[in-house]
Amino acid sequence: MNTLLALLKKETMEFNRTYKLLILFAVFLILAILSPLAAKFMPDIMAQFLPKEIAESFPTPSALDSWAQFFKNFSQIGLFVIALLFAGMIIHERNEGTLIILLTKGLH
Amino acid sequence: MSILTLEHLTKSFGAHQVIDDISYTLEEGRIFGLIGQNGSGKTTLMKLILGLLPSTKGKIFILDEEVSYGYTATNRHIGYLPDVPSYYPYMTAYEYLMLCGEITGMPKNVRKERVEHYLHLVGLAKNKKRIQQFSRGMKQRLGIAQALINQPKLLICDEPTSALDPIGRKEILDILQSIKHETTVILSTHILHDAEQICDEIALLHNGKFVITGNLSEIMTKHSKHQIQVTFHTENQACTFLEKLPFNEQIVHKSNSLIIEAKDLTHTQQQLFSLCNALNLYPSSIEVVQPSLDEIFLEVSR
């Protein structure tokens, strides 16, 4: 339990100091800005290349649409970024050799 | 009490046998030098002791407790300094040692005290820089602090001085010397000079076996050939002296000095001195040459 806590602390520090937190934050910020914009302009974009009747049948975008848009991006791109950021965690420790010292300190 | 016992330890990687049936017992409170060429199996032996590699045959005991691969409870007695220690570059030395202490399971107040003590011991106490800015020497010193943080009974250092400049080497050796009364040290090296300086006991690892083991001075006496070096002021004098030498022992002539291999040291010395008198030719120095560990090492590895 104590080791888990220690390692969690270490991971948080790593996350913070190697700018991974910043990357994650930036990705989500971009998604958050893009989503409402995409929802707002979607009918206009569609109108550009769809017949007039069909384009007019689209409902006016609401706040809910923008949230749905964000939620969709979140589960796709957001999760993808998280996976990328955390994927190397253990193999990195092993390759760099940083794990050896911790192993001899009683980590198992 | 013996801190480390190896019983018929064997390790092979495929067909290549790195450690070949080694049995050895190391007593507490000594500095043990493990000497061998690159690739002779020093690191492998250390990893076996740490339970980081499975042995092919044989057993290892630390304070009568058997080392098992994978679940390494015996490591609570051991501090390990890898040959190239790698740390988390974004931490400071203090943070790193605190992490090590926490993983060892020390309560917070004890941890703080020990981290400060060992940082002071290795001379990094005032350093607030992150590890990525550390020099090799500083990293090596941090490595020692890290290895000592759980106050181990056995400290294993894998080539702690190999990559350092003379000052860095001296610092490391001084630290190791200063902790001698607290912990047994196993030190691997191919720099024989370092071993000569601080080790009480050495083992020469060659072709998977300990070819020479024991007390350093004993080894020196056992393997010493009595050599006397006579140095003259000029080369001419050396030549004259060489012509008149009455005995036919092996003599090496190097510019203005002669190295004479003596079977009987006292007898040869007497002869030399009387010859000096007879020729009225006085050398600038006469000394008995001790073979260095290097020479013994080379002779054995041949």
Side-chain angles (χ1 to χ4, degrees):
Chain A
M1 192 59 210
N2 273 338
T3 22
L4 182 71
L5 206 70
L7 287 179
L8 267 179
K9 239 193 262 176
K10 181 235 133 195
E11 284 302 328
T12 327
M13 188 187 276
E14 177 168 330
F15 208 59
N16 215 336
R17 295 198 180 165
T18 52
Y19 306 110
K20 284 184 183 166
L21 187 69
L22 198 73
I23 295 172
L24 197 67
F25 190 71
V27 168
F28 278 97
L29 193 73
I30 292 169
L31 285 183
I33 294 172
L34 278 184
S35 308
L37 286 180
K40 176 145 176 56
F41 293 114
M42 195 52 81
D44 293 341
I45 296 167
M46 290 301 185
Q48 294 291 315
F49 51 85
L50 283 176
K52 209 174 170 230
E53 312 84 73
I54 302 176
E56 272 174 357
S57 72
F58 279 113
T60 15
S62 64
L64 209 62
D65 289 333
S66 111
W67 162 247
Q69 188 71 254
F70 175 69
F71 193 73
K72 221 167 58 198
N73 285 339
F74 176 85
S75 56
Q76 287 168 2
I77 307 172
L79 280 181
F80 188 63
V81 171
I82 290 182
L84 271 185
L85 287 180
F86 284 103
M89 210 162 86
I90 288 173
I91 199 69
H92 188 252
E93 290 272 333
R94 192 187 173 281
N95 285 349
E96 291 285 302
T98 44
L99 193 60
I100 287 195
I101 291 177
L102 298 189
L103 277 179
T104 59
K105 287 271 162 286
L107 182 72
H108 46 73
Chain B
M1 192 174 168
S2 62
I3 182 120
L4 172 73
T5 313
L6 308 177
E7 276 180 13
H8 302 288
L9 188 67
T10 304
K11 171 75 189 170
S12 33
F13 293 109
H16 180 51
Q17 199 153 26
V18 185
I19 307 285
D20 183 10
D21 194 24
I22 292 180
S23 296
Y24 196 76
T25 308
L26 179 65
E27 298 299 320
E28 266 182 290
R30 320 211 46 153
I31 299 187
F32 176 75
L34 185 61
I35 296 164
Q37 290 158 303
N38 289 333
S40 60
K42 301 185 295 278
T43 306
T44 307
L45 183 59
M46 293 187 159
K47 288 197 167 157
L48 286 169
I49 296 171
L50 288 159
L52 295 172
L53 281 175
S55 64
T56 311
K57 244 189 276 169
K59 286 176 178 167
I60 305 166
F61 295 92
I62 307 260
L63 292 167
D64 295 331
E65 201 177 323
E66 194 178 340
V67 175
S68 57
Y69 168 65
Y71 187 79
T72 47
T74 41
N75 279 354
R76 70 179 187 279
H77 301 302
I78 308 180
Y80 176 54
L81 170 64
D83 47 355
V84 186
S86 42
Y87 312 102
Y88 304 110
Y90 48 83
M91 287 188 180
T92 64
Y94 180 83
E95 286 163 345
Y96 187 74
L97 291 183
M98 285 299 269
L99 170 70
C100 289
E102 203 168 346
I103 285 173
T104 321
M106 280 181 235
K108 197 164 185 180
N109 47 348
V110 181
R111 224 188 310 151
K112 262 193 174 155
E113 204 175 291
R114 280 207 205 153
V115 167
E116 268 154 29
H117 172 75
Y118 285 112
L119 276 179
H120 187 74
L121 180 82
V122 299
L124 291 172
K126 295 213 169 60
N127 204 308
K128 298 275 182 288
K129 279 190 223 164
R130 289 192 187 171
I131 297 174
Q132 60 197 3
Q133 296 170 21
F134 276 24
S135 68
R136 280 297 296 266
M138 286 156 84
K139 279 187 185 165
Q140 212 65 259
R141 279 185 282 149
L142 175 61
I144 291 184
Q146 159 278 123
L148 289 172
I149 200 85
N150 52 337
Q151 299 192 315
K153 297 223 169 60
L154 178 65
L155 175 69
I156 301 182
C157 302
D158 195 355
E159 310 212 339
T161 54
S162 305
L164 303 181
D165 60 21
I167 299 168
R169 270 169 53 195
K170 190 174 179 308
E171 282 169 351
I172 299 285
L173 294 179
D174 286 348
I175 294 169
L176 290 179
Q177 192 97 48
S178 72
I179 53 166
K180 190 181 160 185
H181 53 274
E182 293 164 27
T183 168
T184 313
V185 180
I186 297 182
L187 163 93
S188 86
T189 185
H190 56 250
I191 304 173
L192 299 162
H193 181 68
D194 294 348
E196 265 177 319
Q197 276 186 317
I198 66 166
C199 294
D200 305 309
E201 198 174 323
I202 65 159
L204 213 157
L205 188 62
H206 187 64
N207 287 339
K209 286 185 186 297
F210 283 174
V211 262
I212 299 179
T213 52
N215 186 297
L216 199 59
S217 56
E218 278 169 23
I219 292 174
M220 291 296 209
T221 344
K222 200 173 144 201
H223 288 263
S224 73
K225 291 177 283 182
H226 297 303
Q227 285 186 327
I228 304 174
Q229 183 170 14
V230 190
T231 313
F232 293 93
H233 298 286
T234 64
E235 197 170 342
N236 264 348
Q237 287 179 325
C239 289
T240 330
F241 196 79
L242 182 63
E243 279 164 26
K244 294 282 177 343
L245 271 179
F247 36 79
N248 44 7
E249 271 127 334
Q250 210 182 338
I251 299 164
V252 184
H253 181 195
K254 260 192 244 161
S255 66
N256 59 344
S257 65
L258 305 170
I259 297 168
I260 300 155
E261 238 166 69
K263 290 188 189 86
D264 180 352
L265 195 63
T266 335
H267 183 64
T268 314
Q269 270 172 326
Q270 278 170 352
Q271 280 181 308
L272 281 175
F273 280 117
S274 54
L275 187 65
C276 286
N277 271 332
L279 292 173
N280 203 13
L281 194 67
Y282 297 103
S284 60
S285 76
I286 296 184
E287 62 174 331
V288 179
V289 187
Q290 285 291 337
S292 66
L293 202 49
D294 286 83
E295 281 160 325
I296 297 173
F297 178 66
L298 284 174
E299 200 178 296
V300 174
S301 333
R302 222 174 272 144

